[in-house]
Amino acid sequence: MIKKVLVANRGEIAIRVMRSCRELGLITVAVFSEADRKSLHVRYADEAYCIGPPPSRESYLNIDSIIEVAKKSGADAIHPGYGFLSENPKFPERCVEAGIIFIGPSAYSIATMGDKVTARQTMTKAGVLVVPGTTYSITEEKQAVEVVNEIGLPVMIKASAGGGGKGMRLVRNNNDLIHYFRTAKSEALNAFGDDSVYIEKYIESPHHIEFQILADRHGNVIHLFERECSIQRRHQKVIEETPSPLMTPLLREEMGRVACAAAKAVNYEGAGTIEFIVNDNLEYYFLEMNTRLQVEHPITERVVGVDLVKEQIKIANGLPLTLKQENLRQDGHAIQCRIYAEDPDHDFMPQPGIIRQITVPLGLGVRYDGYVYEGYEIPMYYDPLISKLISWGKTRRESLDRMRRALYEYKITGVKTNIKFLERIMDVPAFLEGKYNTNFIENNKEVLFTPKKCGTECEDMAMIACFIDYLEKIEKVQPQKFTEDLASNWKDFGRKRSVLRL
Ligand code: MV4
């Protein structure tokens, strides 16, 4: 049985994973880069070890140093979180070699789903409907032309090693085909070291709906219903909700069954997500599988009442699932907003810098998963996600009203964030009505990007004026103190002895 877990990640997800470990009485080990010495995940863990310089490649992506820390610290399991090494099949492989439990699926499952052409072949064989297109990689321009003649325009050229929108080309007319085929191939080679591409029929204005699944070593697979993830910007999700406003009970049951079959087809073990693309006629197609815990997992946890990290650990221990499909229900409605340190007025440029003031919203029906504190410097090396706000309500309306209230309460100064942008989304009619697809942000850019001249934003201006006035007053009494002083360092001092330099 797992006693000590190394969390091979940083930020909010590292803390999220360690919280469940703590509840289970497991000892936690953090790893950190030189840029993360003062990160909260380092302070939260029972032990912490430096694994290298700030760039991910030399720290959070360095399998050698992470395995070495696991061995030295006596951790018997590694949780990869999301991003970084979570979907690299070499990581579970190396863990197994070192006799360490990888809390996640096998290298085989990750590799099969990671290569989109192989995934499409495997899904087709298992009877899971994929987007019409090729189940082999296209190498010749002549082949591309033949396929397009067969399935018809528009099509998408996608990199087999891609996923999540990387290395995609939309082809609307024949003149562009050869050019896009070439550029897609060279971009894929550049980004992934693999120039395999395949072609899919383009689905106009789709919905992105995904199903959470859990699978154990004994062949049990269950789904924990869907998440609606259509509100995205450049393939980065912004808001997720469950249940999906588009879903019907019948469709949910059918897609849930298909999602379980998809997971079974790769002998899946652990928590995973099956992504579907759904058109307005409610026709759905398998898009890809994410073989990890996802950023948006908390909305499922809230509505289904399951701690997904605890389930992952239980499965990694080889225990059978005790949750039964027929006992699972969706209770109420949950929404998640991702809070990013980025500037919506300047093309969402990341905003690394020091958090000067932060007021976190809580209260009935609100969950906050974050990792920053006053005086903390957001490093420039990683994803600019600061936190996730999750609201729950008996109805969609109540959940939405709570989210609007929570966003109103949420104050961050020092770095620009997308909070105002999210507040605007809460008032867009299409969002209020739950009638939106993946074009939502594009379709509503006028309201989303033109600052309002009245209402809550005026109130905020007044608050900012008061705050500046207040700061000026206290500055006269006492010079501003930052970073070092506002954040207590006592735990760091005690830890210096256990900090390992590799
Ligand atoms: C598509 C598509 C339409 N037709 N494939 C974007 C992310 C990657 N996972 C796949 N993506 C898409 N693939 C076909 N055949 C439209 C998208 C897409 C999209 C998908 C989900 C959520 C948001 C999106 C935004 C733009 C395009």
Side-chain angles (χ1 to χ4, degrees):
M1 287 292 156
I2 297 168
K3 288 194 190 69
K4 191 165 180 176
V5 178
L6 182 151
V7 180
N9 217 301
R10 65 178 301 282
E12 69 85 19
I13 194 61
I15 296 173
R16 159 71 194 91
V17 170
M18 290 192 286
R19 280 179 164 148
S20 288
C21 291
R22 195 160 288 268
E23 287 178 21
L24 291 171
L26 306 176
I27 302 166
T28 54
V29 180
V31 291
F32 62 94
S33 75
E34 282 160 19
D36 272 337
R37 207 164 275 283
K38 291 182 177 173
S39 272
L40 266 194
H41 78 281
V42 175
R43 297 178 184 210
Y44 192 97
D46 294 306
E47 294 169 32
Y49 301 88
C50 183
I51 48 164
S56 309
R57 200 142 290 291
E58 297 170 62
S59 49
Y60 298 107
L61 290 174
N62 188 337
I63 298 181
D64 289 329
S65 26
I66 293 168
I67 300 266
E68 195 182 335
V69 169
K71 283 184 180 161
K72 285 198 175 155
S73 65
D76 36 39
I78 294 181
H79 194 299
Y82 54 67
F84 296 124
L85 291 168
S86 63
E87 293 184 279
N88 182 339
K90 288 198 192 96
F91 198 31
E93 225 166 73
R94 293 288 305 283
C95 288
V96 171
E97 263 173 43
I100 297 160
I101 296 171
F102 178 76
I103 304 174
S106 67
Y108 163 78
S109 299
I110 296 177
T112 306
M113 287 304 193
D115 184 89
K116 307 306 166 193
V117 166
T118 312
R120 282 167 63 78
Q121 279 167 11
T122 312
M123 290 304 101
T124 306
K125 229 186 272 164
V128 174
L129 202 59
V130 301
V131 184
T134 67
T135 45
Y136 46 87
S137 87
I138 310 272
T139 53
E140 307 298 324
E141 289 165 11
K142 217 180 81 199
Q143 254 182 313
V145 174
E146 281 166 20
V147 168
V148 169
N149 283 340
E150 205 181 295
I151 65 174
L153 288 169
V155 299
M156 284 201 111
I157 305 172
K158 297 186 178 183
S160 187
K166 270 186 246 152
M168 291 190 341
R169 285 288 183 289
L170 168 59
V171 185
R172 284 207 180 270
N173 53 63
N174 269 313
N175 305 337
D176 296 334
L177 179 61
I178 300 298
H179 174 66
Y180 283 163
F181 179 72
R182 282 183 197 151
T183 54
K185 264 182 121 49
S186 75
E187 194 179 298
L189 185 65
N190 223 324
F192 316 111
D194 173 0
D195 75 345
S196 309
V197 297
Y198 61 104
I199 296 180
E200 274 182 3
K201 180 86 187 161
Y202 180 64
I203 312 289
E204 303 275 357
S205 313
H207 291 256
H208 173 135
I209 296 178
E210 56 185 34
F211 273 72
Q212 176 69 54
I213 65 102
L214 283 174
D216 67 19
R217 207 168 290 169
H218 311 278
N220 304 304
V221 187
I222 57 168
H223 72 85
L224 291 84
F225 309 102
E226 81 281 7
R227 292 185 289 259
E228 168 67 68
C229 304
S230 295
I231 301 193
Q232 310 204 355
R233 212 201 114 259
R234 298 206 186 141
H235 309 303
Q236 193 183 51
K237 291 169 190 157
V238 179
I239 298 176
E240 302 98 352
E241 64 175 311
T242 187
S244 164
L246 189 75
M247 198 58 66
T248 65
L250 214 68
L251 183 62
R252 177 175 293 121
E253 208 183 289
E254 187 180 319
M255 288 176 74
R257 224 175 316 115
V258 172
C260 290
K264 263 205 179 97
V266 291
N267 289 322
Y268 201 78
E269 182 184 323
T273 298
I274 312 291
E275 284 186 14
F276 293 99
I277 195 162
V278 187
N279 67 19
D280 287 331
N281 300 327
L282 300 186
E283 288 159 334
Y284 62 90
Y285 306 98
F286 170 90
L287 203 54
E288 45 195 73
M289 180 174 191
N290 300 312
T291 53
R292 54 172 155 83
L293 187 71
Q294 286 196 273
V295 182
E296 59 271 29
H297 78 277
I299 56 173
T300 298
E301 294 191 316
R302 185 59 188 84
V303 161
V304 186
V306 173
D307 181 327
L308 287 169
V309 174
K310 283 187 187 170
E311 292 302 319
Q312 286 186 299
I313 293 169
K314 207 162 127 184
I315 292 166
N317 268 323
L319 297 171
L321 279 169
T322 50
L323 297 165
K324 296 265 175 281
Q325 189 70 60
E326 61 268 27
N327 296 333
L328 296 181
R329 298 280 178 279
Q330 289 168 298
D331 174 25
H333 193 100
I335 301 174
Q336 173 173 285
C337 282
R338 298 189 187 193
I339 316 301
Y340 290 104
E342 57 185 25
D343 183 0
D345 296 329
H346 292 96
D347 202 29
F348 296 85
M349 275 256 287
Q351 304 283 306
I354 297 172
I355 301 279
R356 187 173 164 118
Q357 182 237 14
I358 178 165
T359 309
V360 168
L362 283 168
L364 188 58
V366 175
R367 167 174 169 181
Y368 167 82
D369 275 27
Y371 80 106
V372 306
Y373 53 89
E374 288 180 2
Y376 177 74
E377 181 172 358
I378 299 168
M380 52 173 287
Y381 300 95
Y382 318 107
D383 193 81
L385 185 81
I386 298 178
S387 64
K388 306 182 308 205
L389 263 189
I390 302 99
S391 70
W392 179 86
K394 290 183 291 299
T395 61
R396 183 173 189 269
R397 184 67 218 207
E398 188 177 41
S399 173
L400 203 150
D401 289 341
R402 281 191 176 140
M403 181 57 81
R404 188 190 292 100
R405 182 271 291 175
L407 289 167
Y408 162 79
E409 287 178 9
Y410 203 173
K411 307 292 178 204
I412 296 178
T413 59
V415 298
K416 287 186 177 142
T417 72
N418 65 335
I419 295 173
K420 283 267 102 63
F421 180 72
L422 293 164
E423 282 191 84
R424 284 190 205 137
I425 294 180
M426 293 300 127
D427 291 328
V428 173
F431 184 69
L432 290 170
E433 290 161 24
K435 288 182 184 142
Y436 60 84
N437 56 39
T438 48
N439 296 333
F440 176 81
I441 291 177
E442 177 63 28
N443 288 349
N444 293 282
K445 54 175 189 275
E446 277 75 27
V447 264
L448 292 177
F449 293 100
T450 324
K452 280 188 195 160
K453 292 279 187 293
C454 57
T456 55
E457 296 198 343
C458 254
E459 207 177 302
D460 287 335
M461 284 306 287
M463 199 210 69
I464 291 163
C466 283
F467 189 62
I468 292 168
D469 181 56
Y470 164 77
L471 285 176
E472 277 173 359
K473 271 182 206 146
I474 62 164
E475 256 164 41
K476 279 177 198 139
V477 184
Q478 192 185 38
Q480 272 295 304
K481 292 185 174 183
F482 272 129
T483 332
E484 303 291 323
D485 311 271
L486 282 173
S488 163
N489 283 323
W490 68 270
K491 218 172 167 184
D492 263 5
F493 290 121
R495 184 166 287 136
K496 288 266 152 60
R497 272 168 284 120
S498 68
V499 169
L500 177 81
R501 294 301 230 99
L502 295 169

